[in-house]
Amino acid sequence: TSITSAKIHVNGVHLHYQQTGEGSHAVLLLPGMLGCGQTDFGPQLKSMNKKRFTIVAWDPRGYGQSIPPSRDFPPDFFERDAKDAVDLMQALKFKKFSLLGWSDGGITALIAAAKYPALIHKLVVWGANASVTQEDVRIYNGIRDVSKWSEKVKKPLEEIYGHKYFAKTCEAWVDGISRFAEKSDGNICQELLPDIKCPTFIIHGEKDPLVPRAHAEYIHKHIKGSRLLMMPEGKHNLHLRFAEDFNRQVEDFLH
C-alpha cells in the first residue's frame, strides 16, 4: 500500500501526517526531538503489517511539515503535543488507537495514555523519560551545538529545516527540556504513570547514549503490568538500526 501525505486543521494549526495500511488497528507514531514521520519512521511506515494496521505518523507543530508555527517550548509543550496528537487522530475519525512513541514522542505518548485512557488501546515507548536529572542536562548540553553532530544524523534534518532553523530549534529544545531539572524531582510526568491503564511495552537500548536505563526502569516500575525489553546492542535509534526485530516485537505486542 502506498503512503499518503496530508494536512489537517487541529487546535488552530495545520498538522501534517503520513498514513498507510488498511488494518482495523490504528496506530499513531510519535517522533522525537526535531523529528517527523519522514525522518523518524521510514522502516515502520514501509514494513509494518499493512493488513493488520492503519499506521499514521505525525509531525508535531513546528516540526517537519507542520510549520508554521515555528517550534517553541513553553513549560507545557509535552501536554500540548499530547492533546494535538489525540485530537489529530480524532479528526481522522479513529475512535481508538495505539501509540508508538520514541524519545520526546514517548513522553508525549505517556501523557496522552494517562490523560485520554478511553481512546488509547495499547502503548509502546522507547528512549523515553519521565523526569530530567542533572546528568540528563549534561547529556543534552552535549548535543546543543548541531555542528558537532555526525553528518549522518544531521543531514536529513538540515534538508528539512535548513541549517538556521535546525540549529536554533535544537538550542531552544535543550533549554526547554532542561527547565524540568530545576524542579526538586526533575518531574516531567512521573505522577501520571500510575494513571496509565492500557497494556504498555517499554523498550530500551542498553547502549543508549542519550537516555540512561534508569529512566526505562522507572517507567516500567510505575506503570502497572507493563513489559520491559532491554536490547543489548540497541542505542537511541534502535527502531531504525534494528528495524526488523523492533517491528516484529511491536507487532506481536499489538496483536
Side-chain angles (χ1 to χ4, degrees):
T1 358
S2 63
I3 298 170
T4 59
S5 169
K7 283 190 171 188
I8 189 165
H9 193 257
V10 176
N11 298 331
V13 292
H14 289 93
L15 295 174
H16 176 263
Y17 67 96
Q18 290 166 285
Q19 184 174 331
T20 186
E22 68 237 328
S24 58
H25 189 154
V27 174
L28 176 65
L29 309 176
L30 299 95
M33 175 262 271
L34 275 161
C36 58
Q38 183 188 330
T39 56
D40 288 12
F41 294 117
Q44 285 68 46
L45 285 163
K46 187 169 154 242
S47 306
M48 275 182 75
N49 188 321
K50 311 277 172 102
K51 295 265 182 291
R52 203 190 293 165
F53 303 106
T54 297
I55 300 143
V56 178
W58 83 307
D59 300 0
R61 61 171 75 198
Y63 284 165
Q65 294 178 53
S66 296
I67 304 172
S70 291
R71 182 71 183 184
D72 63 348
F73 300 94
D76 66 342
F77 73 91
F78 285 117
E79 282 81 6
R80 181 181 67 184
D81 283 349
K83 184 168 174 18
D84 281 350
V86 165
D87 291 351
L88 166 79
M89 292 300 275
Q90 299 268 274
L92 295 175
K93 303 282 184 273
F94 295 111
K95 297 251 185 301
K96 211 168 172 174
F97 45 92
S98 293
L99 301 173
L100 268 64
W102 177 38
S103 197
D104 267 19
I107 300 173
T108 302
L110 291 168
I111 293 169
K115 290 196 161 179
Y116 310 97
L119 304 175
I120 311 305
H121 185 40
K122 292 186 177 183
L123 172 65
V124 183
V125 295
W126 65 103
N129 45 301
S131 64
V132 176
T133 65
Q134 290 305 325
E135 165 67 0
D136 296 328
V137 172
R138 196 185 61 74
I139 294 169
Y140 301 150
N141 277 305
I143 62 165
R144 177 188 286 273
D145 179 357
V146 299
S147 66
K148 298 192 174 123
W149 288 28
S150 79
E151 215 36 58
K152 192 165 144 251
V153 180
K154 196 165 61 175
K155 197 164 171 261
L157 292 167
E158 287 196 329
E159 278 170 10
I160 287 176
Y161 296 116
H163 179 76
K164 197 177 154 195
Y165 186 92
F166 169 45
K168 186 185 78 176
T169 307
C170 181
E171 286 189 15
W173 176 84
V174 172
D175 292 339
I177 196 146
S178 298
R179 234 178 276 128
F180 291 103
E182 292 163 13
K183 304 181 192 175
S184 59
D185 51 359
N187 178 43
I188 302 176
C189 62
Q190 291 172 316
E191 76 293 346
L192 293 176
L193 300 180
D195 295 344
I196 297 174
K197 302 291 188 252
C198 65
T200 300
F201 187 21
I202 301 139
I203 305 173
H204 195 73
E206 297 207 30
K207 295 185 174 173
D208 190 330
L210 285 175
V211 181
R213 73 178 282 164
H215 285 300
E217 287 165 350
Y218 183 94
I219 294 168
H220 173 47
K221 188 179 159 191
H222 290 89
I223 300 178
K224 206 173 169 219
S226 62
R227 272 173 56 189
L228 174 63
L229 171 70
M230 300 299 292
M231 288 177 73
E233 293 304 311
K235 293 188 181 173
H236 196 57
N237 65 344
L238 53 86
H239 66 299
L240 301 176
R241 178 83 169 57
F242 302 104
E244 209 174 306
D245 185 23
F246 174 88
N247 287 0
R248 192 186 67 246
Q249 296 274 3
V250 167
E251 287 184 6
D252 287 350
F253 171 74
L254 292 175
H255 197 37

